[in-house]
Amino acid sequence: MAVLITGGAGYIGAHVVDQLLESGEPLVVVDDLSTGNLRRIENAHFWEIDVSSSKKLDDLCELIKAHQIDSIVHFAARKRVDESVKRPLWYYTENINGLLNVLSAMERTGIRDIVFSSSAAVYGETGLDPVTEDWPRRPVNTYGRTKLIGEWILEDASRAHGIRATSLRYFNVAGNKSASLGDSMGLNIVPLVFDAISASRQPVIFGDDYPTPDGTCIRDYIHVQDLARAHVAALNHVRSRPFGSHVAYNVGTGLGTSVREMISIILEVTGSDLTPLVVPRREGDSPSVTANADKIRSELGWASEKSARQMIESAWESYLYLGDESSTRQ
């Protein structure tokens, strides 16, 4: 029997693939390679399939039977918030159809275990900190809505078809296990500050007058290796749960790091003497958003292990590696 990882050539998916391979778990990776990279999964069985295409459903079922798949970790989805707002219909098509096709393949082939890569974006603007799993889900962008709809679908499918499903809602991800597994499409504060440093520009802080200790926004940053461990823990746990159940977990450190603190760590790690530039607030930024991770800690025995500094050091190593690799190709 084996695990199917959809979107496994992507940044987070590849780290899960790496951990499962190290543990000896048989697995197969599916990816359309639109944003994934085969370099990340050189030692894994790979099928190039666009799971969002209903025309590929037969191929997906064939793969499942050929490799005796018994469980699925579903990453394959579009994930840029700004792009989702500009292209909502495409995001609904890609993200919802992808999950529906995976579930349809599960129904056809008798698979009943799935771990779904969800997002803290399902909460929207909560006004609560730290956020617990039972907080109302009110996403404020198309990307978050596709993840919420995905959770609704899993809730219905678990009841109707006896599926055991787990959704992981994670916060801000950065870091790498190795430089070659790096994220070349990072859009959060870490790669943005790296870009500024590389261009000798001042890194930007959007507002320093928030009701936080240093006046800047606080976020929950998690190392991608810790996040990968959470997916492995969820996969092991879902196999022992009652059939017909769906459960969601926050995945975060539970410890917030302010924008100013994060930039200070980045400047120190990179050896930069640039000074951050404070500009007016951005619309919609909450003062503080962190995860209450008590549930995943008590039920799955998972907890974050790596520090913000470890996250930045590994991310910077990968950033330099990917930059050198890009220059070589040019």
Side-chain angles (χ1 to χ4, degrees):
M1 309 302 280
V3 182
L4 175 63
I5 314 290
T6 71
Y11 166 55
I12 299 172
H15 278 85
V16 173
V17 168
D18 180 80
Q19 288 203 12
L20 289 175
L21 287 175
E22 282 192 351
S23 70
E25 180 104 43
L27 62 86
V28 181
V29 173
V30 164
D31 203 295
D32 67 0
L33 298 181
S34 58
T35 59
N37 193 317
L38 286 177
R39 179 197 66 233
R40 297 181 174 127
I41 54 165
E42 293 175 341
N43 297 321
H45 292 294
F46 173 74
W47 286 47
E48 185 173 349
I49 298 177
D50 178 4
V51 297
S52 70
S53 171
S54 297
K55 296 178 181 179
K56 299 297 182 179
L57 182 55
D58 289 342
D59 291 343
L60 193 56
C61 292
E62 178 187 345
L63 178 160
I64 288 171
K65 294 174 182 176
H67 292 277
Q68 298 184 302
I69 302 297
D70 67 348
S71 52
I72 296 176
V73 182
H74 181 55
F75 287 101
R78 307 296 171 181
K79 62 178 185 178
R80 288 183 53 177
V81 171
D82 58 339
E83 185 178 54
S84 78
V85 174
K86 295 174 182 176
R87 304 184 65 187
L89 300 183
W90 185 57
Y91 261 67
Y92 283 120
T93 299
E94 293 284 302
N95 291 4
I96 304 305
N97 279 2
L99 178 58
L100 288 174
N101 287 334
V102 167
L103 290 171
S104 295
M106 290 176 64
E107 184 181 13
R108 285 192 191 182
T109 58
I111 298 176
R112 300 172 75 182
D113 294 338
I114 182 170
V115 174
F116 176 56
S117 177
S118 187
S119 170
V122 300
Y123 294 118
E125 298 296 331
T126 66
L128 174 73
D129 190 51
V131 178
T132 58
E133 287 86 353
D134 58 358
W135 188 256
R137 293 168 289 171
R138 297 168 181 164
V140 296
N141 54 62
T142 305
Y143 167 71
R145 292 187 187 102
T146 66
K147 291 299 186 180
L148 176 54
I149 292 170
E151 290 191 15
W152 286 343
I153 291 170
L154 288 171
E155 289 167 8
D156 291 342
S158 64
R159 285 192 295 266
H161 304 295
I163 289 172
R164 298 186 288 200
T166 295
S167 295
L168 297 183
R169 302 169 182 164
Y170 46 89
F171 289 64
N172 302 274
V173 187
N176 299 287
K177 177 188 177 182
S178 62
S180 61
L181 291 176
D183 184 9
S184 59
M185 296 185 63
L187 297 172
N188 63 32
I189 185 175
V190 177
L192 291 176
V193 175
F194 287 168
D195 285 342
I197 292 170
S198 296
S200 297
R201 297 193 315 265
Q202 289 177 278
V204 174
I205 294 175
F206 291 96
D208 64 352
D209 57 349
Y210 287 93
T212 61
D214 68 11
T216 66
C217 292
I218 293 174
R219 296 292 182 264
D220 197 329
Y221 298 93
I222 183 169
H223 197 292
V224 69
Q225 284 186 268
D226 284 337
L227 179 58
R229 286 194 305 102
H231 281 82
V232 174
L235 178 63
N236 292 331
H237 182 258
V238 76
R239 293 163 168 165
S240 64
R241 288 216 323 270
F243 289 104
S245 61
H246 170 256
V247 63
Y249 296 101
N250 287 337
V251 185
T253 65
L255 302 171
T257 303
S258 76
V259 169
R260 189 179 293 280
E261 289 172 332
M262 183 59 75
I263 291 178
S264 293
I265 296 171
I266 295 172
L267 294 174
E268 183 179 344
V269 166
T270 60
S272 172
D273 59 0
L274 292 170
T275 302
L277 174 65
V278 178
V279 300
R281 295 184 182 189
R282 291 181 302 193
E283 183 178 357
D285 278 347
S286 297
S288 182
V289 181
T290 60
N292 181 316
D294 291 347
K295 184 177 178 182
I296 192 171
R297 186 179 298 109
S298 62
E299 296 185 12
L300 273 62
W302 174 93
S304 62
E305 296 177 350
K306 294 188 177 293
S307 67
R309 185 179 182 87
Q310 288 174 302
M311 185 188 307
I312 299 308
E313 288 174 342
S314 62
W316 180 239
E317 178 185 3
S318 180
Y319 183 86
L320 295 176
Y321 171 85
L322 292 172
D324 290 342
E325 187 181 62
S326 177
S327 298
T328 300
R329 285 197 300 266
Q330 292 175 0

